Every structure is written in structure tokens, then in C-alpha cells.
Amino acid sequence: MTVHLSTRCAGISSSDFGSATGRIRNFSAPDDVIEVFGDDLSDVIALVESGGTTFLSPILGRLGGIVCTSGTTRSHLAIVSREYGVPCLLAVELGEWAPADGEHVRLTSAPDGTGALAPASAPDEAPVAAAPAVPRPAAGADPVGRPYTDATSGDARTDWWNYISAVGDDIAVKPFPSSVTAATVPTLIAEPLSDAQLDELIQHMGRAFKPEMTRRSGFTSEIFPMMPYMAMSVIEDFHTYPERIRRIEAAMPAEEIGRRLRERPGAVSPLWIWMVGYHYLCGRELLISRGDLAPGEALDDVRTVVDFWRRLTLAHRGDGTLDYKDAGFTNRYLPEAALTWLRADLQPVDDAVRRELQALNAALSGYCFMYFTDSRVGICDNGPYGSGARTATLVRDFLSLDAGQFGYPWARACDPGFSGVTVTLEFPTDVFAEFEINDWGTTFTEPDQLLSTVTHAAVLGHRPDGSTELLPPARWADFGQAVGAEHIALYQKFSEMSRTDRILAATTMYSFGLRPFARLAGVEDRIDWAISDRTLALFPEPLGDDDAAGALFGGALVAHDRPSAFTGLA
């Protein structure tokens, strides 16, 4: 919660930006953004009511600041504003005072994560106390470490299942057994799931998922109705994944897909692997909440999807863990040969190169959020990989920049020059008190400016035929401009759609999640990728309504007393 005091309004700062002044301008519809495409916005402080990430994205990097009346440090707007280096206040409660268009205001931040909005003429004082920023847990004693316990039974399989059945702390962190290593992964993959084990696995997934949902912002956007499309897409996954997965599995086992996809960076996002299991179970939970499904129904389908996800994930991660949280908020799936290849292109970063790197990173981030309909699934970090006594490497993949591996209708004409980009970053570990990559593949650090610490970097472009090209810093600005042009074209395309078409487009975005795996297995053209009639029967009533969809989604997955977001089989 936030508070206000006279004309001083408290909030949460997305980063410790110090202070910024400018004139307020309210943005409430895409036409407001299109109207100022060509304007100088360096002294404009945008005021928005919700996440606003894709809504503001074509102009976000040129703004003097942003004030948002919702959100947290983990919201999409906070993430992207940090990437752009734009001062941003979130969860600001305007209360008795709401600045009018043209009014000059000052934004301030404090090191503790608080911030304040006030008239520019108001005395400069410490921000009013507000709710603290969401705590970010450290990944063990070392910022790039992995928590283990020495308490083992002597049998890796037993220890792994004991870990799965354990509850963990308030955000579901629990020490991972040291007996489980890469050598034990084949045994875990080969084991068939009993009903009891399937139930334990679902509960484990739900315990990991629920606190992560509570640590992020509400799902809101001025351009994409997020609650309708989130609810629609996960229900669609429940309806369609079993048949699609059986067709994929018949051509190539999940574990073989996982092994092939871990051979090189940018082949697929680990986040899309994660979503195979989690989105399916979210859809199941929404249907249980509606009374359309009993917990014990569709057991064969549930086993098909969850077991496919389990084997795919184990083979891809390669160390016995199932998600970032299991591995102390890390994912080190790349083999040493791939890391050696990436590190060979690292170049020193001075202040001038860092500015170019930050600009390109911001341009790619904004474009990917637009391309993937206000979702973070087009960007995914993996690592950090130790590269020295006090240095580490983070690998950031930007996926599907052109027509891409998903074949989205709105992206058929997209071509910024590369199909994807991998950015390799080397940084000192001793500058961070906390370092976390969450299950959405997003890095959170304390201090919060990762790119400002980078000492070496490389940008690798991927082409549709699988070839790659190293982009030297001298080309980053031109490539960023090409990305920006595609970004604006997509923004205009989406802004011209009706609300219904935006919901269905965003539902399609998620429901195509299995296409990269089907393509690898050689069966993409044997699967019907259209939204199913069973899902469309729920639209527009009730899933087309923001409030109804939000109540269903939040009520089913978060607003209950269970430690797990997911209902068991009984």
C-alpha cells in the first residue's frame, strides 16, 4: 500500500534514479502515444494507470520519467524502465492531488526502494514512507551460488523425491540435495510416474508458483486485456496440450528434445519449457475453480503433459533441478563448449560502449514485449556461469525478432535483420548483495543496475538458417534503429485491432507455445494450432470481461489458503 500527504504522493521506485523533473502528460489510449511519436519527450513525465509496458513502449526510452498508479518492482513496466534507464515510480496513490497535464512535477527515489511524486515547486525532502519494495532473496551465500544440503539418504532418487515433497520457506526455497547431479538425471528421467508421485510433483509445482505470483504485479495493460487473454490461454493449453504432446512425443521423446535444445544458446527459451507444465496446470486449476472439472478427472491427460514437462526440463537443465528456484535462482543449462564459444567474442566495455549496449538492450526489450503481446516470454536470461574467482557470465536471449519460430500472424512481415539475438555479459560478482534470476528468466539484482557493472560484452545475431554473426559495437545503434522501426510498425498494427482481436491475438501468442518443440520433432504441420471450440465457448462470456477473468484467475491460483496454487489429484 502507498500513502499520500497533501500534494506529495508516495510510491515505489523501479530503480534508485535520484530525482527527475518534467511536465505531466496523461496517457490512456494507444492514440495518445501515436500522437507524440515525433515529439521531443525528454521533459515529459508520463502518467499511466497500469503496467503500461507495451502501451508506452514506442516512446518509453525517450520519456523524462513515468508515474504509474499500480505495479511493483517486478512488474513489466519496472523491468523495462530499468533497461531504458528511465526514472519510474510505481504504485503511486494520487489521493487528494492529481497533477494535471502540463503541470511541472518532480520524481524522487531513495536507496530503500521508496519514492515520491510532488510539484516541482515543493520543498526537496525525503520521500514519504511507502510500502517497502518486494524483498529479493539471495541465491545462497554467494550471489552466483547454489544452495545444497549434506543431509542425504545415500540414494539420489529418494533424495530427489524427498525434495519434491518438502514445503520450503515462505517463497518455496528449499536446499537441493547434493546427491542429485548430472549423472543421476537419466535415472530420474527413466522412472515412470506413479499416481502418488504425479500428485507430489503437481503440489511441488504449485508451491513454487504461488509465491512467485504474489511477488509480481497485477496483470494489467492499456493495450492488451491481460486477464482475459491469460485466462483464455491457460484454459486453451489444458484443452489442447495432451493431444499435441502425444503427437510430438510419438515423433521424438521429451528427453531427446531437451538434450538437443541445450546444445546452443537461443535455440529455445527455458521459459517456454517451464510454461509447458505450469500453464497447463493453471488451466486445469481455472476449470476446477469454475466447477467444469473435478480434481481426479482427465488423469491420463494430466500425466501426459506433466511427465512430458518433467522429462523435457530434466534433460534441458541437465542437473536434476526443475526450475530456477530449485537451483538457487539460476539456470546453467549451456554446456561448456557453448560457453567457451560465447566468451571468445567478449570485448571490453568502456563508458561509450556501455551506453550503446544499454540502448540496444532497451530497444530489444521493448520490442520483445510488444512482439509477445505485453509478455516477457521473448526475453530470457540464463546463468550466471562462473568465469573467474570474482567474475561471472550472464547470457541473455532475445527470441523471435522476425517471422520467427512461432509463426504469429502479426509478425509475418517483421524483419529487423536477425531472427534472434544472444547478448553475453561478464560482470564482477562482488558488487552484488543479491542476485536472482526468477522462473520467468528475469534477472533481479541489488544494486539494481546490472548493465552498469558489465566489464565485457558481446552481441551475437542469429539468422533463420541457424548461422550467426557477431555484431561489433559500431553496428549496435543501426541495428537498434531497425528494431525500433519494427516496434513502431507492430504498435500501429495492434492499435488498429479491436479489443476482441487483441485478446484473441494474445491468446494465440501463448497457445502456440509447443510449436518450437513440434518443429524440432518434425510434426509442426500435423498439428491444428487454431484456438479450440471448447475454449472459444467461454468467450466473450465470461472470459472476455476483465473483472470476471481476473477474479477467476486470481481466485483459482492465489486467493486461497493452500500453500500450493494447484489442486492435487484427490
Side-chain angles (χ1 to χ4, degrees):
M1 295 180 62
T2 55
V3 298
H4 66 270
L5 177 62
S6 183
T7 56
R8 190 175 185 83
C9 304
I12 298 170
S13 59
S14 65
S15 63
D16 187 10
F17 55 81
S19 67
T21 58
R23 52 188 174 88
I24 280 286
R25 178 160 182 155
N26 284 268
F27 291 86
S28 59
D31 285 347
D32 297 336
V33 176
I34 293 172
E35 182 181 342
V36 299
F37 270 175
D39 294 357
D40 179 2
L41 304 175
S42 57
D43 70 337
V44 171
I45 306 294
L47 177 60
V48 294
E49 291 186 356
S50 67
T53 308
T54 56
F55 172 50
L56 291 176
S57 60
I59 62 171
L60 198 152
R62 297 189 287 123
L63 291 167
I66 303 168
V67 174
C68 184
T69 57
S70 65
T72 71
T73 56
R74 289 171 178 263
S75 66
H76 294 176
L77 182 58
I79 294 166
V80 177
S81 67
R82 282 194 295 270
E83 303 290 3
Y84 276 96
V86 174
C88 179
L89 292 181
L90 303 129
V92 175
E93 184 178 324
L94 298 177
E96 298 172 1
W97 171 67
D101 276 359
E103 186 169 353
H104 281 76
V105 298
R106 180 172 64 250
L107 281 58
T108 55
S109 69
D112 66 355
T114 59
L117 167 70
S121 58
D124 191 5
E125 56 186 84
V128 179
V134 178
R136 305 168 188 165
D142 184 280
V144 295
R146 173 183 173 186
Y148 285 103
T149 175
D150 291 330
T152 67
S153 69
D155 179 76
R157 176 195 164 279
T158 299
D159 291 342
W160 194 83
W161 281 108
N162 285 342
Y163 174 82
I164 294 299
S165 63
V167 173
D169 62 15
D170 57 345
I171 58 170
V173 173
K174 43 193 179 182
F176 194 81
S178 58
S179 60
V180 178
T181 65
T184 62
V185 168
T187 300
L188 295 174
I189 287 174
E191 182 179 13
L193 288 182
S194 68
D195 288 353
Q197 289 171 330
L198 177 61
D199 187 66
E200 287 282 7
L201 190 53
I202 291 171
Q203 295 291 339
H204 163 78
M205 295 167 69
R207 287 191 296 268
F209 185 71
K210 183 177 179 179
E212 199 61 42
M213 289 292 288
T214 63
R215 293 203 295 161
R216 62 171 296 170
S217 67
F219 294 88
T220 54
S221 170
E222 285 91 343
I223 189 167
F224 293 103
M226 293 186 73
M227 280 291 83
Y229 91 67
M230 285 294 297
M232 283 268 291
S233 64
V234 297
I235 288 175
E236 171 67 359
D237 289 351
F238 183 82
H239 286 154
T240 61
Y241 268 27
E243 180 182 348
R244 291 174 180 176
I245 282 175
R246 288 184 182 109
R247 193 172 292 272
I248 293 169
E249 185 98 65
M252 184 178 292
E255 53 268 35
E256 179 61 21
I257 294 173
R259 280 193 289 265
R260 293 193 186 189
L261 290 175
R262 75 187 304 256
E263 293 174 356
R264 64 181 180 86
V268 73
S269 168
L271 177 52
W272 285 96
I273 293 176
W274 178 88
M275 290 191 302
V276 170
Y278 281 87
H279 273 210
Y280 175 81
L281 290 178
C282 284
R284 173 179 177 266
E285 202 61 39
L286 266 59
L287 291 172
I288 290 174
S289 180
R290 277 179 46 83
D292 297 335
L293 184 74
E297 284 188 90
L299 181 60
D300 286 344
D301 286 350
V302 173
R303 185 190 310 280
T304 292
V305 177
V306 174
D307 189 46
F308 178 88
W309 167 81
R310 175 186 72 99
R311 290 178 288 115
L312 174 69
T313 302
L314 284 170
H316 188 259
R317 294 183 65 95
D319 61 359
T321 63
L322 290 172
D323 55 37
Y324 286 78
K325 191 176 291 185
D326 288 345
F329 294 98
T330 69
N331 185 354
R332 299 174 180 140
Y333 78 89
L334 287 174
E336 192 59 38
L339 288 171
T340 300
W341 173 58
L342 290 173
R343 287 171 177 150
D345 292 325
L346 287 170
Q347 302 176 52
V349 172
D350 58 20
D351 289 344
V353 171
R354 178 172 291 106
R355 285 191 294 270
E356 295 291 346
L357 176 65
Q358 290 171 327
L360 178 58
N361 180 75
L364 286 165
S365 297
Y367 175 63
C368 284
F369 270 97
M370 174 59 64
Y371 186 107
F372 288 96
T373 66
D374 211 354
S375 168
R376 70 183 75 186
V377 297
I379 313 163
C380 195
D381 292 351
N382 63 85
Y385 304 92
S387 57
R390 295 185 178 180
T391 60
T393 303
L394 184 80
V395 180
R396 175 166 295 172
D397 287 316
F398 297 94
L399 301 122
S400 294
L401 306 179
D402 58 3
Q405 57 185 304
F406 295 97
Y408 295 134
W410 58 87
R412 286 171 184 158
C414 291
D415 186 11
F418 291 99
S419 60
V421 167
T422 294
V423 179
T424 309
L425 305 169
E426 190 168 81
F427 60 92
T429 59
D430 55 5
V431 300
F432 296 112
E434 299 175 2
F435 195 105
E436 168 192 339
I437 312 177
N438 71 0
D439 288 333
W440 279 275
T442 305
T443 299
F444 296 94
T445 65
E446 185 59 47
D448 56 29
Q449 296 296 326
L450 171 64
L451 292 185
S452 68
T453 71
V454 169
T455 58
H456 295 77
V459 176
L460 191 70
H462 300 280
R463 299 197 182 280
D465 63 3
S467 63
T468 59
E469 180 181 348
L470 179 67
L471 274 70
R475 291 181 55 191
W476 293 353
D478 288 344
F479 178 51
Q481 289 179 358
V483 169
E486 296 290 350
H487 186 162
I488 291 174
L490 270 182
Y491 189 90
Q492 291 175 320
K493 183 176 294 187
F494 281 126
S495 69
E496 292 167 359
M497 289 183 180
S498 68
R499 170 186 163 86
T500 293
D501 286 343
R502 290 178 195 167
I503 292 173
L504 294 178
T507 301
T508 297
M509 182 275 297
Y510 271 133
S511 67
F512 278 16
L514 291 175
R515 289 190 80 145
F517 313 114
R519 182 176 297 115
L520 181 60
V523 296
E524 182 183 16
D525 60 350
R526 301 180 212 168
I527 293 174
D528 181 2
W529 298 102
I531 299 174
S532 67
D533 291 340
R534 294 170 67 191
T535 302
L536 289 173
L538 301 173
F539 182 80
E541 296 291 340
L543 296 185
D545 180 78
D546 292 271
D547 292 338
L552 174 62
F553 195 90
L557 298 171
V558 179
H560 47 65
D561 295 332
R562 300 193 312 268
S564 175
F566 304 140
T567 301
L569 300 179

